[in-house]
Amino acid sequence: EIVLTQSPATLSLSPGERATLSCRASQSASSYLAWYQQKPGQAPRLLIYDASNRATGIPARFSGSGSGTDFTLTISSLEPEDFAVYYCQQRSNWPPMYTFGQGTKLEIK
Amino acid sequence: QVQLQQWGAGLLKPSQTLSLTCAVYGESFSAYYWSWIRQPPGKGLEWIGEINHSGSTNYNPSLKSRVAMSVDTSKNQFSLDLISVTAADTAVYYCARVGSLGREIVVWGQGTLVTVSS
């Protein structure tokens, strides 16, 4: 069973700064990694799929990279609405299941 | 545009059965897998399982002994039953649609808070 470890747990930055969030998998699972954003009281929203593809309607300041066991979500210049919790997620073939990281909280400095 | 509308009992006693249903609007029900995911208050996301239109399922091994999912294709609905609930099952439960290649969760329902308390 894949375990996803996100770092840091909390990231404190100011609007306009660059954010770099990390997700490490316990075993290689190719490039099938997704990233989600969740704001308080809301359902998560898909940002990135297959490690580097932006979902429909996601601004270009969000980008994803990585493969194998190490993945990164980058927000090039933070907007006030970007402060939220971010989760990474992978799908494993055996057992067939989805696993989420524990989340990174991006907060205003 | 796809919409997921979910409902079910919000307050349960320990040992009771949690039952939730999700209706799918504006999407081909038969084209995708449909998932349930939960989130305890203040904590992260946990995938519960998925089902397709023919009733084929995959469950989280940690919950498999207590979970059952079903579909009603005539109504474009799918359901979750979780038996023998405890306080640890208190969470917001989301229904969701899996991506076409089965690798990510593309659409989420609004979530239902289910509280287990005596």
Side-chain angles (χ1 to χ4, degrees):
Chain A
E1 186 175 322
I2 293 174
V3 175
L4 298 177
T5 303
Q6 293 186 240
S7 60
T10 304
L11 184 58
S12 299
L13 294 170
S14 300
E17 291 192 294
R18 181 183 185 90
T20 302
L21 287 68
S22 176
C23 179
R24 176 164 290 179
S26 60
Q27 55 186 278
S28 178
S30 69
S31 296
Y32 301 151
L33 185 110
W35 289 94
Y36 302 84
Q37 176 193 67
Q38 187 178 33
K39 296 180 180 179
Q42 297 183 15
R45 176 176 70 147
L46 177 66
L47 298 175
I48 301 288
Y49 65 95
D50 289 354
S52 60
N53 296 303
R54 276 189 302 275
T56 303
I58 301 303
R61 64 181 182 274
F62 291 92
S63 64
S65 63
S67 64
T69 59
D70 290 298
F71 299 87
T72 300
L73 174 70
T74 301
I75 311 172
S76 59
S77 178
L78 286 166
E79 298 288 339
E81 62 267 28
D82 298 337
F83 292 92
V85 178
Y86 292 83
Y87 294 96
C88 59
Q89 168 260 310
Q90 268 195 331
R91 162 83 180 193
S92 62
N93 291 326
W94 191 259
M97 65 179 291
Y98 296 81
T99 300
F100 292 90
Q102 83 279 15
T104 289
K105 182 179 181 180
L106 179 56
E107 64 178 23
I108 299 177
K109 188 174 182 179
Chain B
Q1 183 177 353
V2 58
Q3 288 190 0
L4 304 179
Q5 186 173 352
Q6 59 182 102
W7 65 90
L11 181 61
L12 296 173
K13 296 184 185 301
S15 80
Q16 290 186 325
T17 296
L18 179 158
S19 294
L20 297 172
T21 298
C22 183
V24 180
Y25 301 98
E27 186 73 271
S28 171
F29 190 73
S30 62
Y32 304 99
Y33 268 82
W34 304 91
S35 265
W36 290 98
I37 297 157
R38 70 180 183 179
Q39 185 173 36
K43 297 187 178 180
L45 301 163
E46 180 180 34
W47 179 76
I48 300 170
E50 63 182 357
I51 189 167
N52 70 2
H53 70 285
S54 64
S56 178
T57 56
N58 292 305
Y59 297 140
N60 188 322
S62 69
L63 296 168
K64 188 173 184 176
S65 63
R66 297 195 293 128
V67 170
M69 295 182 184
S70 58
V71 293
D72 184 340
T73 54
S74 67
K75 297 181 180 179
N76 278 12
Q77 295 177 0
F78 62 105
S79 298
L80 167 70
D81 286 331
L82 180 66
I83 67 171
S84 304
V85 297
T86 70
D89 296 310
T90 294
V92 174
Y93 286 75
Y94 295 100
C95 62
R97 198 206 91 190
V98 174
S100 58
L101 296 179
R103 300 197 282 259
E104 69 281 337
I105 309 298
V106 178
V107 183
W108 299 69
Q110 81 275 17
T112 299
L113 174 61
V114 177
T115 302
V116 181
S117 175
S118 56

